Amino acid sequence: MRVSDMQYVTTHNAFHIAPDEAVLSFVRSTRRGESENWPIDKIIAAHNYTHPTLTQQLMMGVRSFEIDVHDDPSGGRFSKPDIYDAMPRDVVNALPSIDPLNDLTKPGFKTFHEVDYDMRSTCLLFRNCLKEISKWHKDNKQHIPIFILIEIKNDVIPRPDIVNSNSVWHHLQKEILSEFSLDDMIIPSEIEQNPVRWPIFASARGKVVFLLFDYGHRPVERYAAYISTSGDRALFHIEKDVGALRATWQSRNDPSTIESAPFIKPGLLLYTKGDTTGVQDFPRAKSALSSPANFVATDFLTPDTRRSNYSLSINGKYIRSICGRKQGARNQARASRAGEDGRQ
């Protein structure tokens, strides 16, 4: 059995804490950010969820995490959310601080969902997210491989070209290497090509893997260009062939399109979304879990009882073998309605 024979329930925005109710009320009343494709109810639902800390998720059995990173080399770029200037002063003053440790003033990548009103995070400093996972990794040396899926956020203001700068990639890899050695990781050069073959599962125990989403302004192409000119070792697995770097995974956000999607190269790990934009969708979750996807993303590891008893798990756990299913075979799976804690 290989790494590619496993399916992981993946925490979308694994660091996320819902915005304060007063902030969401202001967003709703002012219809802030509303558009034809994003009506206000969809905006609220897409932001109104909270995850346990990364350590708590690891203890639950989760081994796959999506993490957003925002570039902030000097610190302070995100210290004051724009929405606070628009809200009544007395309401803002009554809110708990989004940054009690002043992490937003410190140099380095920041981890939160979106600038403006969705900045609450269990680990505002990306390196602190890494430290949490690294500590658990070192304390549990034979763990099932941990996957960290990185989205580079291309904030429009004040630097719309952050992914153009080689220094961004250099510092991002440097922060990762401050917590994980090359021996701790499965890096792209270790994946067999033609055909793509991920390592035997038993040999991958105790390893951490970093994947890079190709969202926004072509970050994968820019990362590949950085690797080709810098001489640095590639740490991120990418989802399309660029230059000398070869794809080792691929995303298909809608699980219903996986079977009919353009050709998926054999051996690639496959990502899909079990739910999205805060919609609790049992049929979609079941479809995603029944698919050949290795990563099934969710906002709801456990039920949000304010809405329903929906959660996404594999009978209360978050990892299982799907050996044989990569050829399109399906077996039974379901979205857990019980919200049990799984351990692996």
Side-chain angles (χ1 to χ4, degrees), residues 27-268:
V27 171
R28 183 183 294 280
S29 65
T30 60
R31 311 190 83 83
R32 191 176 181 93
E34 188 174 39
S35 66
E36 181 178 351
N37 292 329
W38 280 90
I40 196 63
D41 287 344
K42 182 177 178 180
I43 289 174
I44 298 298
H47 296 84
N48 194 15
Y49 61 92
T50 295
H51 290 306
T53 67
L54 298 179
T55 300
Q56 290 169 335
Q57 292 179 54
L58 286 161
M59 293 176 68
M60 290 165 61
V62 180
R63 299 291 181 270
S64 182
F65 308 91
E66 292 184 42
I67 295 180
D68 293 349
V69 294
H70 301 253
D71 185 39
D72 188 16
S74 300
R77 181 182 175 200
F78 307 107
S79 291
K80 187 178 180 183
D82 292 343
I83 195 171
Y84 285 3
D85 287 333
M87 293 174 64
R89 183 54 40 202
D90 61 325
V91 175
V92 172
N93 291 340
L95 295 175
S97 172
I98 64 168
D99 184 21
L101 300 178
N102 294 318
D103 285 337
L104 291 174
T105 67
K106 300 170 185 175
F109 292 93
K110 305 302 186 292
T111 291
F112 55 85
H113 185 211
E114 293 178 355
V115 176
D116 195 26
Y117 57 81
D118 198 11
M119 293 181 59
R120 289 205 177 275
S121 172
T122 61
C123 48
L124 274 169
L125 287 175
F126 176 56
R127 61 178 175 267
N128 285 347
C129 303
L130 295 174
K131 285 179 187 296
E132 271 198 75
I133 297 172
S134 175
K135 182 179 187 307
W136 193 93
H137 154 75
K138 291 171 183 175
D139 291 343
N140 298 271
K141 296 186 182 297
Q142 288 300 306
H143 62 74
I144 285 173
I146 295 170
F147 285 84
I148 303 173
L149 292 76
I150 298 295
E151 179 180 351
I152 299 285
K153 305 294 278 192
N154 198 49
D155 304 297
V156 175
I157 299 174
R159 297 174 59 228
D161 62 339
I162 65 160
V163 295
N164 287 324
S165 171
N166 277 350
S167 66
V168 170
W169 302 112
H170 173 76
H171 288 120
L172 186 60
Q173 295 210 151
K174 184 177 179 180
E175 288 201 6
I176 291 170
L177 289 169
S178 71
E179 293 298 327
F180 299 100
S181 70
L182 291 176
D183 289 340
D184 291 323
M185 291 183 261
I186 301 174
I187 60 175
S189 61
E190 296 172 344
I191 306 302
E192 296 179 30
Q193 294 287 338
N194 302 316
V196 174
R197 296 213 310 173
W198 280 79
I200 298 295
F201 181 75
S203 69
R205 281 190 170 272
K207 299 291 187 177
V208 178
V209 190
F210 288 88
L211 277 58
L212 180 65
F213 280 110
D214 196 27
Y215 294 158
H217 297 273
R218 308 196 318 276
V220 163
E221 293 178 28
R222 288 163 176 167
Y223 178 66
Y226 158 70
I227 292 298
S228 70
T229 58
S230 68
D232 286 356
R233 188 79 64 93
L235 305 185
F236 288 108
H237 294 261
I238 60 175
E239 51 175 322
K240 63 183 178 184
D241 296 343
V242 183
L245 295 185
R246 291 291 176 262
T248 54
W249 74 290
Q250 200 163 27
S251 60
R252 290 286 186 272
N253 286 346
D254 184 348
S256 70
T257 67
I258 288 177
E259 297 298 339
S260 60
F263 178 70
I264 297 173
K265 190 175 179 181
L268 297 185

